Amino acid sequence: MNQSIIDQVRRQVPFIYHLTNQVVMNFSANGLLAFGGTPAMAKYIEVAEPLAAASDGVLINLGTLSRDEVPALIKAGKAANQKGIPVVLDPVAIACSAFTKEAGREILQEVKLAAVKGNAGEMAYLADIPWETRGVDSIGGGDASAVAGEVAKRYSTIAVVTGETDYIASEDKLLVNETGHPLLTKITGGGCLLGSILAACLTTDADVLEQAYTAVSFYGLAAEYAAARPEVRGPGTFLPAFLDALSYDIKDLEGK
């Protein structure tokens, strides 16, 4: 992971426009602020284009999606493409219904994505690889690294497959991350906030695969640091410690 990427985020304070799910808005906003960016949250079509045009990056999250919101997601993505800023897709629960599958396909056809991030089940659906899911959770097994590589190649993007081990792939390279902590699975938005951090790192001028790897590995390291604090006894005490850790430097987290 690369501290200079994090330093650049904190110097520039990138404005990340979120079209995300209602469950995680507050946590995502606070987490991005702690890390060094600044958020906006809105899925109204009337503001999608101007907010995207004013932003440094756009995050599209399919959780709690309604049919009338899909045009706003596409409009924001296209405006970001026109401006040349990164768009990150988090295909939350994409395989759970015909509607989410259709919405995901439409976005993938209309919007050029800098990165796609999801759990193995969500990403396997995008790669047409069988994988068992339950709602927003991936419960099946298989080769998650192959899923990452296939998504990266199929959509010409950076693919991030999250899990106990994370896989970050470009069209020709694969990186592996093993930082993280199980308490991330016990708080709402533990995966969704990573999309915000990823979008912020993608606004820097480093190599795109290194940007993605830094976002993922730093996020996991911050979780490890927070979980190791003596005051942390479970998910409730983990949450504020994790937000604090997202504001630290790599050397501080590694000194835990």
Side-chain angles (χ1 to χ4, degrees), residues 120-121 124 129-133 138-144 147:
I129 295 173
W131 203 290
E132 188 177 0
T133 62
S138 172
I139 59 175
D143 187 350
V147 169

Side-chain angles (χ1 to χ4, degrees), residues 222-235:
E224 291 178 358
Y225 177 92
R229 296 303 87 204
E231 71 273 15
V232 171
R233 294 289 184 267

Side-chain angles (χ1 to χ4, degrees), residues 93 95-96 119-122 124-125 131-140:
C96 76
N119 65 39
E122 294 159 348
Y125 171 77
W131 203 290
E132 188 177 0
T133 62
R134 181 177 59 199
V136 300
D137 296 323
S138 172
I139 59 175

Side-chain angles (χ1 to χ4, degrees), residues 1 42 65 82 145 171 221 224 226 243:
M1 79 190 84
L65 185 65
Q82 187 173 8
S145 65
E171 294 184 69
L221 186 63
E224 291 178 358
L243 287 176

Side-chain angles (χ1 to χ4, degrees), residues 211-225:
Q211 291 170 336
Y213 179 76
T214 292
V216 175
S217 56
F218 178 84
Y219 194 80
L221 186 63
E224 291 178 358
Y225 177 92

